[in-house]
Amino acid sequence: MTDDHAAGFPDQHPTPHGSDGNGSQGETGPAPATPPAGPHASEAAGGEPARRPRSTDPLELGFTPRKPVPWLAPLLLISTGIRTLLALLFGAYLDKRELQNTFDAKVTRQVGPDGGLWLDYVADVGDGFDATYSVAYLLAQRELTVDGHRLPRAQVLVMGGDQVYPSADFETYEDRCKGPYQAALPVTPPEQPTLFAIPGNHDWHDGLTAFLRLFVRSRDRHLGGWNTEQSRSYFAVELPANWWLLGLDDQSGSYLDDPQLSYFDSVAQRLGPQSRVILAVPMPAWIKATKDPSAYDSIDYFIRTIIAPTGAQVRLLISGDQHHYARYAGPDRQLITCGGGGAYLYPTHLLPERIQVPPAETLARRASAPQSYELAGCYPEATRSRRYAWGIFPRLPWRNRGFATLLGILYTLLILSMVGVCTNHDSAQLRLFSVPLVAMVLVTLTGAVLFAKAPGSGGKRRVRHWLLGLGHGLAHLGLAAAGTWAWLTLPFHDWPWPLSVVAAVVFLGSVGGLAASQLVAAYLLVASAFGIHANELFAGQGIEDSKGFVRMRITPDGTLTIYPIGVDRVSRHWQVNPDHSAESSWLVPRTPLEPRLAEPPVVLR
């Protein structure tokens, strides 16, 4: 394999001999600033020699760069659905947060050498290698110059959830999260940057086992060149000038456990009227509350029972989960969604221009007084997001060939059922052939209705779900009827058995699958205008571009400046870095990345 190997790596997972699976060996502490001798040697994060890769071969890297997750692949849909259902049904039994009460209740302090601090926030990182590593590479560079602003590497990196896709296990973490970040910053630089992470819903699929093994442990406390210091799946960090960073774990939006609340009760004793808080949460509950008024209840409970009594102010709420950048500005608080760390793009043109937080419809009896927030900035811009939405037509069949194949199989069965009815005039035979047709019609309509609003997806099934679902199902029946007419006009259906069946499978499976995928694409586009299937509309495209993160600066006098950084196009071609210095990234983009500000810097005082 050459050094200039493009994207499209194999999905095997070889582990090099003598390696711990991440390309380093026995990482135990900070590395010296000077690189060791040897053309391919560097200092690992633990200070022991680790050979730098000579190519992009997984055996050289110590992990397998993965392709983006094909979210509409049938087997993946089934397995992810099962995992999600199990997490919903048995989440309380798998909840390890109660056990974390035995862990140290650690509160750390992070201050830069000048008395201020640089802090990065990134979320939804663990998808395809190209997008994930493009963001990790930018985070790891000693300094970025973005629209004239010189932004040095942050001393603190916060990962805001969903560090792995599609589900949590240690091997997937290695390939989709730890490996890329190890390659981006292979050793700990002299300033000793620190990483904190909160779990998202995908991190919870295994009950938090792999997350705790990676981010909460008593030895080898680092991920690449970032040190890990948290002692639980949630954390509190004292920042300069009376700023605090609090990270919550609400177990996929369910509730805050008692040990976690007790931990933050003790943290609150150190807060006062002069304190200002950055609150990192796993999902943008302020957006989700527009459809499910209870979504914001846990955050509101935390703010009014833990923070408000101290007189401290929550100046910034920040979250991932939705894979874009969006900022809502209120009278005394900013609400930021920043989930552009690597996962498929999520639309911005469907965001409401104005929201109320907490929502007036909440059933919480002691909820805080609602405040109005205005959409002040987003990335990608709404016009670009709309253009992306129309890309569903070519991308759906191209990026989800398994899904198109499944549609082709279903259409073959449906059309053959219709053909059987149309070509048999005897009443007994008509009844015989009508049985599978009735079954296929029921399957089509039921599947379309359930697709419009899947059970357990949260929120109520409304009239628009029924109408769009039934309309979608009837459209498929109409398309199948047209396909039946077209098939009967072709000579293939008169061929002797089994040639006619083979011809039907080949022709109907291919043409029918492609036509059905375009109908599904049109349905997703129309449904998104009614607030349905925005996620599926973009998940089906797997857009890797328009990624980003937030870099923040706290000055010694307490001014917080937010720099939202976007990358319009991620790199798809990587080569081994000719710079073999200790902390240089293993791989560099063949064409330089061009970060820019998603909106002008936001200043909080």
Side-chain angles (χ1 to χ4, degrees):
M1 188 175 294
T2 64
D3 286 354
D4 293 339
H5 182 57
F9 297 89
D11 276 352
Q12 294 81 21
H13 189 275
T15 301
H17 295 295
S19 169
D20 67 357
N22 65 354
S24 63
Q25 303 205 14
E27 302 172 354
T28 57
T34 57
H40 299 295
S42 69
E43 290 294 316
E48 296 185 6
R51 181 173 58 82
R52 293 179 66 88
R54 293 165 293 189
S55 74
T56 54
D57 191 310
L59 286 169
E60 290 285 331
L61 294 172
F63 69 96
T64 301
R66 300 288 183 132
K67 296 179 180 179
V69 176
W71 285 104
L72 295 187
L75 293 179
L76 179 63
L77 284 173
I78 294 172
S79 63
T80 303
I82 292 175
R83 288 176 181 268
T84 302
L85 180 62
L86 291 176
L88 290 172
L89 294 177
F90 302 108
Y93 303 102
L94 299 174
D95 194 343
K96 294 182 174 61
R97 293 177 303 173
E98 303 285 349
L99 302 178
Q100 293 180 53
N101 199 32
T102 61
F103 299 172
D104 291 338
K106 188 176 181 181
V107 177
T108 64
R109 175 173 170 79
Q110 298 287 330
V111 181
D114 65 348
L117 186 78
W118 286 93
L119 184 147
D120 282 341
Y121 179 92
V122 68
D124 303 278
V125 304
D127 203 327
F129 176 80
D130 289 334
T132 297
Y133 187 73
S134 292
V135 174
Y137 175 83
L138 293 174
L139 290 168
Q141 300 314 294
R142 185 179 294 276
E143 182 178 87
L144 298 177
T145 301
V146 184
D147 293 351
H149 300 274
R150 297 181 62 186
L151 309 177
R153 181 171 53 214
Q155 289 102 20
V156 174
L157 171 62
V158 179
M159 288 186 173
D162 286 348
Q163 280 72 242
V164 65
Y165 292 99
S167 57
D169 61 70
F170 199 70
E171 180 177 306
T172 309
Y173 270 110
E174 287 279 340
D175 287 346
R176 296 188 183 272
C177 178
K178 185 178 180 180
Y181 275 78
Q182 162 83 21
L185 188 63
V187 304
T188 302
E191 62 268 24
Q192 301 275 322
T194 305
L195 183 149
F196 297 91
I198 56 175
N201 59 304
H202 289 269
D203 300 293
W204 263 100
H205 279 179
D206 69 339
L208 223 58
T209 298
F211 177 92
L212 294 176
R213 289 177 180 174
L214 185 60
F215 297 104
V216 183
R217 50 186 178 178
S218 59
R219 55 178 299 175
D220 298 332
R221 299 179 66 90
H222 55 79
L223 187 146
W226 288 274
N227 297 325
T228 57
E229 294 190 6
Q230 69 193 84
S231 57
R232 302 185 182 188
S233 61
Y234 42 90
F235 56 82
V237 184
E238 185 179 1
L239 304 176
N242 292 315
W243 280 93
W244 283 79
L245 170 66
L246 308 182
L248 302 187
D249 174 10
D250 67 351
Q251 203 239 28
S252 300
S254 56
Y255 69 101
L256 297 173
D257 56 293
D258 188 65
Q260 183 172 184
L261 292 174
S262 297
Y263 168 82
F264 284 111
D265 273 332
S266 64
V267 172
Q269 296 176 12
R270 302 170 61 174
L271 302 180
Q274 75 285 358
S275 301
R276 291 160 291 183
V277 176
I278 302 170
L279 188 59
V281 295
M283 66 177 184
W286 48 93
I287 294 296
K288 295 184 180 295
T290 59
K291 297 181 179 180
D292 179 9
S294 66
Y296 191 77
D297 289 350
S298 289
I299 295 178
D300 186 53
Y301 175 83
F302 180 85
I303 292 175
R304 60 185 167 81
T305 62
I306 302 293
I307 297 178
T310 70
Q313 288 188 322
V314 177
R315 297 302 312 281
L316 173 62
L317 266 168
I318 190 165
S319 169
D321 187 68
Q322 291 188 351
H323 311 153
H324 58 218
Y325 170 83
R327 179 175 65 89
Y328 283 86
D332 56 4
R333 186 177 300 163
Q334 302 290 318
L335 311 177
I336 291 181
T337 306
C338 181
Y344 64 88
L345 183 65
Y346 193 85
T348 58
H349 67 280
L350 300 173
L351 289 170
E353 292 293 329
R354 182 180 292 103
I355 59 176
Q356 268 199 337
V357 181
E361 299 82 4
T362 179
L363 297 180
R365 290 183 295 172
R366 297 185 177 90
S368 303
Q371 298 280 354
S372 293
Y373 291 80
E374 304 283 338
L375 181 62
C378 64
Y379 177 81
E381 298 80 3
T383 52
R384 178 179 295 186
S385 178
R386 289 190 184 92
R387 290 198 299 270
Y388 277 136
W390 283 93
I392 186 66
F393 292 101
R395 290 193 186 103
L396 180 63
W398 177 251
R399 292 184 178 268
N400 305 274
R401 299 175 191 178
F403 182 70
T405 301
L406 176 62
L407 289 176
I409 294 172
L410 294 175
Y411 258 68
T412 299
L413 296 174
L414 180 56
I415 291 175
L416 288 180
S417 297
M418 291 183 175
V419 168
V421 172
C422 294
T423 57
N424 287 271
H425 305 291
D426 179 80
S427 60
Q429 290 181 330
L430 179 61
R431 286 194 298 272
L432 178 63
F433 280 94
S434 296
V435 173
L437 177 58
V438 170
M440 289 303 302
V441 168
L442 290 175
V443 167
T444 302
L445 293 177
T446 302
V449 170
L450 292 178
F451 183 57
K453 182 65 176 177
S457 59
K460 296 180 180 179
R461 184 184 296 274
R462 302 186 183 278
V463 174
R464 65 177 184 270
H465 296 107
W466 288 102
L467 294 178
L468 286 168
L470 287 172
H472 185 204
L474 292 174
H476 279 292
L477 294 178
L479 181 60
T484 302
W485 173 84
W487 175 250
L488 291 176
T489 62
L490 297 173
F492 308 131
H493 78 279
D494 287 329
W495 286 2
W497 190 91
L499 293 179
S500 60
V501 176
V502 173
V505 171
V506 172
F507 179 78
L508 298 177
S510 57
V511 177
L514 180 60
S517 68
Q518 296 304 289
L519 178 56
V520 172
Y523 162 73
L524 292 176
L525 193 62
V526 171
S528 67
F530 294 90
I532 301 172
H533 291 309
N535 184 60
E536 290 77 8
L537 176 64
F538 275 68
Q541 300 185 59
I543 299 169
E544 297 181 85
D545 294 318
S546 295
K547 296 297 178 284
F549 59 96
V550 165
R551 181 157 290 179
M552 293 179 256
R553 166 65 173 166
I554 301 176
T555 60
D557 68 1
T559 301
L560 172 64
T561 305
I562 302 170
Y563 300 91
I565 299 173
V567 184
D568 292 338
R569 182 169 177 81
V570 304
S571 178
R572 290 163 173 80
H573 303 280
W574 304 93
Q575 60 190 19
V576 171
N577 194 349
D579 179 4
H580 292 161
S581 59
E583 64 183 72
S584 63
S585 302
W586 284 350
L587 306 177
V588 295
R590 195 182 302 173
T591 301
L593 295 167
E594 298 181 356
R596 68 178 178 92
L597 288 180
E599 65 169 336
V602 180
V603 179
L604 304 180
R605 291 185 173 87

